[in-house]
Amino acid sequence: MTAEKKVLVCNIVSPHIVSYARKKNFEAILTHGIMPGYDTTTEDFKIIDTNIYRKKGSWRAYNDNKVILDRLKEKFPNLFKHNGYDLTKGLYKHVYWTNYKDGYVKVAVEENELRDAVLVHYHPNFLNRLVRRFGQMVTSGQENKYHKAMRRPLKPLDKIYDVIFFVDSLMTLDNWQFLIREFDPYRTAIYHMAAKSNKILEKRINELPFDVINEGPILSNAPLSYKRNGLIAEEVIMMQQIAGARSKFFHFLREFELLAEACKKSFVVNGFENDFTGNLLHEVAAKKGLYVFNTTNGTRAGNATCADSEFDAFLIWDEKMRTILIEEAKIDSRQVVNLEGHLLEDVMSRHRFSNSLELDLSDIEDKRVITFGSCQGFRKDKIDALDVLYGMLKENKDLVLLYRPHPRETPLDYYLPKDDQIQDRFFLIKYDEENNKTTLYDQLFITDVTVVPTSTVALESSWAGVPAITFEQNDTPLLYCVDEETIFHVKVKDHLADKVNELLQQQPKKNDKEVTNYAKVYADFIKAFEKN
C-alpha cells in the first residue's frame, strides 16, 4: 500500500517546523513567510514560497469564490439583494479578503506537481498568536474607543452639496491635501469614515473649511437563517461569510442613501477599488443619478484586488497603469481615466527638507545612503534583501542603511541587524500617520539608492530622482512601474548587491522638482464630468 503524500502549509517557516515536517514524513512545506535569519537554502527539504504565486493566486482565489457565490445566488437570490441594490460584486470583494492566500496555496500545489497530496495546515504556537493579536487589539482599540465616543447615528442632512469627499484615513487626506482645496467650501462636504479614525485625523479634518459629516455606528446585527440541507461544506463556509457581512453592508447602504439625498453631483473616494464599499456606493449613486470618482495612492499590479470595481471614473496617472487595470484587472476601459500625473507629486514638489527624521546628519556625512522600504510580515523577498544589505554594510564602512517600516508593519515584523559592526550605520526610521509623507520625502532627499520588496516607495523615489530597485524573485515584477531607467527589477539574490553598487556609482540625478499642480487637473475633470 502506497503511503499517503502530505504537504504542510504554514504562515512562517522555521527550523522547528522543518524538523516537525521531517518527523511526520511530509513531502514539502508551503509557506507564506520565512523566519528572520533562517537560511532555507541550507535545507535538503522542499520549501516552497507561496508569494511567488501572489498574482496568479489572487485570481485563483477570487474566481473560485465567485463560482461558489454564484451557485449560492441561484439557490438564495434574495441574499444578494437589499432594497433594490445588487450586493453580488460587493460580496465577491468581501469574501476575497477572508481567503485570498488559499489561492496562493492552490497555485503553488499545481505548479509544483503536488495535486495528489493531502494539505495539512500547521497552526502556530497559541501563545505567539495571542501576543500578536493582543498588540493588534491594543492599537485598534485605542483608536476605536476614541471614535466610538463621538459617533452618532447619521440622520437626514439639511443642506445640499455639489461634492462629498470620503475621508477614511490620514493617508487619504495626504493624497488630497491640494485637490480638496480646489472645491468651494460652501458647496463641498467631508464624510468622515470611522474605520481608521483617530484624534490626529479628527484634528486635521476640522482644520479644513468644509462641513463634516461623521459616519454613524453600525446599529444592529443582521442575522441570517437558512437551511443547510443540500449545501456542501464550502457553501456552508461561504454562507457564514455572507452572514458576517450583512450588518456592514446594510449599514453602509443606509449611510450612502442619506449622503445621496444631500448631494447634487458626485462623491470622491480614495482606494475604494480594494473592498466592497466602492461597489455599494456605486449602486446607491447610480440609482440617484450621481457620479463616483476614485483616486488611489498606491500602485496596482493587475491582481484580483481591483476586480469588479465600479466607478464612473477611476482616476490614475499613467498609461501603463491604465493598461494593467483594463487588460489584467478587467475594469471597463470607459471607467479608467489617465490624468497623467499623481496627486502626491504635488505634495513632493512643494516639500523642503526639514530633517523630520531626527537624524544627526553628521552620522551620514560622506556616506552613501541606502533606503529600504519594508513590507508587512516575513516574505522571503524582504528577508533575503535585508540579508544582502546587512552584508554590504559589514563589507563597506562607507554605507548607511535607513530601514523604513511599512505603515502597517508592527515591531513584531521588523527584521533588524544583529551584527554589532553595523549598528552605528543602521537607522530605523520612526514615523506616524501624521508625518508619514514628511519623513518619507526627507528620507528620499538624503538617499542615494532605494530598495523595496514591491512598494509604492519605489515610485515616489523615482519622482525624487533617486534610483530604486524592486527585489522580487519572480520573472515578472508585481511593481508595474519598472522601466530599467529609474526603477529596476532584480530577481536573483546574488545579483542584488551588484545592482545596488552599480547605482551608487552613478552621478546623482536629484534636482529641485518643478512644482506641479495635478490637483487642478483632477478637480477640473471632476467638475466638468458628464456621462455619455
Side-chain angles (χ1 to χ4, degrees):
M1 185 174 177
T2 306
E4 184 179 58
K5 186 190 290 187
K6 298 183 298 181
V7 172
L8 189 65
V9 181
C10 67
N11 193 38
I12 306 291
V13 71
S14 66
H16 168 75
I17 291 176
V18 173
S19 175
Y20 171 83
R22 280 202 182 96
K23 183 178 178 181
K24 298 295 183 179
N25 297 315
F26 281 90
E27 182 85 6
I29 295 174
L30 301 179
T31 183
H32 303 309
I34 295 173
M35 189 184 80
Y38 179 35
D39 183 4
T40 58
T41 61
T42 63
E43 295 285 0
D44 58 353
F45 195 87
K46 191 172 186 177
I47 300 173
I48 301 164
D49 178 16
T50 63
N51 287 290
I52 295 172
Y53 310 104
R54 282 170 69 196
K55 186 172 181 177
K56 193 172 180 180
S58 76
W59 282 106
R60 179 62 184 273
Y62 195 86
N63 290 326
D64 284 358
N65 289 340
K66 283 181 74 170
V67 169
I68 302 169
L69 285 166
D70 288 346
R71 275 204 315 264
L72 290 172
K73 187 176 181 179
E74 288 183 8
K75 297 177 181 180
F76 307 101
N78 290 335
L79 295 183
F80 291 77
K81 302 174 189 174
H82 182 69
N83 291 345
Y85 299 115
D86 187 351
L87 310 183
T88 306
K89 292 181 179 179
L91 286 168
Y92 291 160
K93 291 273 196 183
H94 171 76
V95 172
Y96 169 76
W97 288 110
T98 69
N99 65 5
Y100 65 96
K101 286 188 178 180
D102 291 351
Y104 301 2
V105 170
K106 289 176 180 177
V107 174
V109 165
E110 292 168 357
E111 296 284 336
N112 291 276
E113 299 181 352
L114 297 169
R115 288 183 181 85
D116 56 341
V118 175
L119 299 184
V120 178
H121 290 262
Y122 182 91
H123 296 288
N125 177 274
F126 175 75
L127 182 60
N128 289 341
R129 283 187 287 156
L130 188 64
V131 169
R132 179 178 288 271
R133 180 60 183 148
F134 179 74
Q136 294 169 344
M137 289 172 62
V138 168
T139 302
S140 61
Q142 289 170 343
E143 296 177 354
N144 291 338
K145 182 179 179 181
Y146 164 74
H147 197 65
K148 282 178 181 177
M150 48 89 55
R151 288 168 68 185
R152 299 289 184 272
L154 188 61
K155 297 179 180 179
L157 305 174
D158 57 5
K159 186 174 176 181
I160 304 297
Y161 303 95
D162 287 348
V163 182
I164 298 178
F165 283 84
F166 286 50
V167 175
D168 61 348
S169 67
L170 278 165
M171 187 178 294
T172 292
L173 211 52
D174 282 338
N175 203 39
W176 285 349
Q177 63 178 278
F178 294 109
L179 172 65
I180 205 166
R181 296 175 191 176
E182 295 285 335
F183 290 82
D184 184 345
Y186 296 100
R187 303 171 72 178
T188 305
I190 291 174
Y191 175 56
H192 178 190
M193 302 186 75
K196 301 177 184 176
S197 190
N198 54 45
K199 291 182 180 179
I200 298 171
L201 178 58
E202 174 78 3
K203 177 176 176 289
R204 288 269 300 274
I205 288 175
N206 287 329
E207 288 172 349
L208 295 169
F210 302 100
D211 289 346
V212 178
I213 306 162
N214 288 308
E215 179 191 340
I218 297 177
L219 298 176
S220 62
N221 292 324
L224 174 65
S225 60
Y226 61 95
K227 294 181 179 180
R228 294 192 180 191
N229 295 351
L231 296 182
I232 59 177
E234 61 184 14
E235 292 174 339
V236 172
I237 293 170
M238 206 64 78
M239 289 294 276
Q240 291 169 347
Q241 295 297 340
I242 294 172
R246 283 163 63 85
S247 59
K248 292 180 181 178
F249 276 48
F250 298 169
H251 161 73
F252 281 113
L253 285 172
R254 183 172 58 247
E255 297 261 317
F256 296 163
E257 284 182 324
L258 290 170
L259 292 172
E261 293 294 336
C263 188
K264 283 201 304 187
K265 185 173 180 184
S266 56
F267 298 131
V268 184
V269 299
N270 184 67
F272 271 37
E273 71 276 11
N274 289 313
D275 66 21
F276 65 87
T277 47
N279 298 88
L280 299 185
L281 181 61
H282 189 264
E283 281 283 314
V284 173
K287 193 173 182 179
K288 299 290 185 179
L290 303 174
Y291 302 137
V292 181
F293 301 97
N294 183 65
T295 66
T296 184
N297 41 277
T299 61
R300 293 293 171 260
N303 56 18
T305 56
C306 296
D308 289 310
S309 296
E310 291 184 305
F311 308 105
D312 294 286
F314 192 147
L315 307 179
I316 49 88
W317 55 87
D318 70 29
E319 197 59 29
K320 190 172 181 181
M321 184 171 171
R322 182 175 186 271
T323 300
I324 288 172
L325 290 172
I326 294 168
E327 294 184 357
E328 299 188 37
K330 310 301 182 187
I331 298 177
D332 188 331
S333 61
R334 294 169 296 181
Q335 294 181 23
V336 188
V337 181
N338 175 17
L339 295 180
E340 300 183 353
H342 198 299
L343 291 168
L344 284 174
E345 289 186 78
D346 290 355
V347 182
M348 177 179 277
S349 69
R350 289 165 173 77
H351 179 78
R352 295 297 177 265
F353 181 74
S354 60
N355 196 18
S356 58
L357 307 172
E358 299 182 356
L359 289 177
D360 184 343
L361 297 181
S362 64
D363 290 336
I364 64 172
E365 190 174 3
D366 299 324
K367 299 279 195 300
R368 305 311 301 274
V369 179
I370 302 169
T371 275
F372 180 74
S374 191
C375 63
Q376 289 176 277
F378 298 119
R379 295 211 313 258
K380 187 174 188 298
D381 290 344
K382 168 183 172 178
I383 303 304
D384 285 353
L386 284 167
D387 282 340
V388 169
L389 295 175
Y390 293 155
M392 292 180 69
L393 258 66
K394 188 173 181 179
E395 293 177 5
N396 187 343
K397 302 293 190 291
D398 291 327
L399 295 181
V400 167
L401 181 63
L402 308 181
Y403 182 117
R404 184 176 187 84
H406 186 277
R408 290 190 293 274
E409 186 177 4
T410 71
L412 292 172
D413 294 330
Y414 295 170
Y415 178 34
L416 306 179
K418 296 183 175 64
D419 194 327
D420 292 338
Q421 296 181 50
I422 66 174
Q423 295 293 342
D424 62 335
R425 289 175 292 115
F426 171 87
F427 300 91
L428 177 66
I429 303 302
K430 296 181 180 180
Y431 63 92
D432 55 32
E433 274 195 298
E434 187 172 23
N435 66 1
N436 180 6
K437 293 304 178 185
T438 301
T439 56
L440 173 59
Y441 299 155
D442 274 355
Q443 185 172 344
L444 293 175
F445 183 85
I446 58 175
T447 293
D448 295 295
V449 174
T450 298
V451 179
V452 300
T454 314
S455 170
T456 307
V457 169
L459 183 64
E460 293 171 283
S461 182
S462 70
W463 297 340
V466 178
I469 298 168
T470 181
F471 179 65
E472 304 176 44
Q473 295 173 87
N474 302 319
D475 289 334
T476 303
L478 283 176
L479 194 67
Y480 86 95
C481 47
V482 169
D483 57 10
E484 300 301 335
E485 294 181 3
T486 57
I487 302 176
F488 304 84
H489 174 214
V490 173
K491 62 182 179 181
V492 178
K493 181 179 179 180
D494 291 343
H495 297 170
L496 181 58
D498 290 341
K499 191 63 182 182
V500 172
N501 282 323
E502 175 192 325
L503 295 176
L504 286 172
Q505 291 167 14
Q506 294 180 0
Q507 286 295 109
K509 296 179 181 178
K510 287 188 285 187
N511 297 304
D512 286 337
K513 185 175 175 63
E514 180 181 346
V515 173
T516 61
N517 194 10
Y518 294 121
K520 187 175 188 310
V521 177
Y522 280 62
D524 288 347
F525 179 88
I526 291 168
K527 292 173 184 177
F529 184 84
E530 295 291 343
K531 209 164 188 177
N532 294 330

